[in-house]
Amino acid sequence: SSDLERLCSHVNEKISNIKKTLSLRNCGQEPTLKSMLHKIGDEIIVVNELLNKLELEIQYQEQTNSSLKELCESLEEDYKDVEHLK
Amino acid sequence: MEAEVDKLELMFQKADSDLDYIQYRLEYEIKTNHPDSAGEKNPVTLLKELSAIKSRYQTLCARFKPVAVEQKETKSRICATLNKTMTMIQELQKQTDVELAPLTEEEKTAADYLK
Amino acid sequence: TLKGDVNILLDKARLESQESIGFIKAAKVMMK
């Protein structure tokens, strides 16, 4: 039955995509919907730019991670030195 | 029985390809009626871009979470190592009667920050 | 909204970065 359920959701997903595309069919013609499309397009650009910034921030976090690890290792070396001294 | 199953399978395959064809024709019609231009994108393109940025966001989320967790763990390891090093140095100080200079303002601030 | 979620995560990432910078500085002072 799980196969059948998967098959069912597969078909339903395709049907909902077609319904969504159908609803967009006339969107490009009507002026009010056209301006909404335009706004959505602008919003997508803004979100993409935010995602670019987020990606840079995550790269920076990954670099910070490695410098924290280096710091940790040298601190543990220091600890061993003090232990040795003791 | 087997023939029935094969027949059913064929029907599902046909339905699946029919759905794909309907989707393709719809998108083709929209793209034809509403070609992308510099400032204007057609609804199908926007729909694809929307799902692209959603999946990109999910990918970045999945990438960010482990980095943040690892960072917290490394920081707590650093704090723990620093604490035990400082404790040991104080013990050494007692044993050797060597007076170490008191912490400078900068060091006090740093110690507070790490606490 | 997706835009709101992205902004929240971006702010969180930036805050964590600033905290880490302060943390590294303080740890280096203590190491000295």
Side-chain angles (χ1 to χ4, degrees):
Chain A
S1 66
S2 67
D3 284 345
L4 199 57
E5 276 168 17
R6 236 189 355 234
L7 193 60
C8 201
S9 67
H10 173 79
V11 170
N12 281 336
E13 189 180 341
K14 287 199 172 181
I15 292 172
S16 79
N17 278 344
I18 287 173
K19 280 180 182 173
K20 211 183 289 179
T21 314
L22 262 177
S23 65
L24 294 175
R25 196 179 194 183
N26 301 319
C27 206
Q29 315 303 326
E30 292 176 38
T32 51
L33 294 180
K34 222 172 176 178
S35 73
M36 188 185 290
L37 268 183
H38 196 73
K39 272 189 199 139
I40 291 172
D42 290 345
E43 280 294 293
I44 286 174
I45 291 167
V46 168
V47 174
N48 253 322
E49 281 163 7
L50 280 175
L51 287 172
N52 289 342
K53 284 179 190 161
L54 183 59
E55 189 157 5
L56 281 175
E57 197 60 44
I58 289 173
Q59 276 168 12
Y60 181 71
Q61 289 266 333
E62 284 161 347
Q63 286 160 15
T64 308
N65 249 12
S66 48
S67 54
L68 274 169
K69 277 183 192 160
E70 282 167 22
L71 191 64
C72 191
E73 280 159 18
S74 73
L75 266 172
E76 280 168 353
E77 282 304 313
D78 285 354
Y79 175 71
K80 282 186 191 129
D81 290 347
V82 172
E83 205 174 28
H84 182 72
L85 201 62
K86 188 176 177 201
Chain B
M1 177 66 173
E2 197 161 322
E4 285 302 315
V5 168
D6 287 344
K7 191 177 162 195
L8 202 59
E9 193 173 334
L10 274 177
M11 283 169 70
F12 266 110
Q13 280 173 2
K14 173 122 182 22
D16 197 44
S17 60
D18 283 349
L19 288 171
D20 286 344
Y21 183 70
I22 293 169
Q23 180 75 25
Y24 167 78
R25 279 304 300 267
L26 266 175
E27 289 185 1
Y28 178 78
E29 180 191 316
I30 289 174
K31 282 178 189 169
T32 316
N33 292 343
H34 190 77
D36 280 344
S37 61
E40 297 266 330
K41 287 180 180 157
N42 74 59
V44 172
T45 308
L46 286 179
L47 207 57
K48 286 184 184 345
E49 284 185 3
L50 260 178
S51 61
I53 58 174
K54 278 178 187 168
S55 72
R56 189 179 171 208
Y57 171 69
Q58 293 305 327
T59 310
L60 287 174
C61 264
R63 197 171 144 196
F64 178 69
K65 280 199 182 79
V67 170
V69 166
E70 196 180 9
Q71 211 165 91
K72 266 191 185 60
E73 283 167 5
T74 313
K75 281 179 183 174
S76 54
R77 247 175 79 197
I78 287 173
C79 283
T81 309
L82 262 178
N83 279 338
K84 64 183 183 179
T85 309
M86 293 297 282
T87 311
M88 192 166 281
I89 287 174
Q90 282 157 5
E91 281 171 19
L92 269 178
Q93 185 185 355
K94 276 187 200 128
Q95 283 177 7
T96 56
D97 289 331
V98 168
E99 274 305 314
L100 282 179
L103 290 181
T104 63
E105 274 314 304
E106 188 190 22
E107 285 161 354
K108 275 184 197 150
T109 326
D112 289 343
Y113 187 92
L114 290 174
K115 266 192 199 100
Chain C
T1 64
L2 180 62
K3 187 176 164 184
D5 290 347
V6 173
N7 266 317
I8 288 168
L9 195 58
L10 186 57
D11 288 344
K12 189 172 176 221
R14 279 180 178 151
L15 194 65
E16 296 229 351
S17 288
Q18 279 159 19
E19 258 184 39
S20 298
I21 291 167
F23 184 90
I24 289 173
K25 273 183 191 157
K28 282 184 175 173
V29 165
M30 293 309 285
M31 279 180 77
K32 257 188 314 184

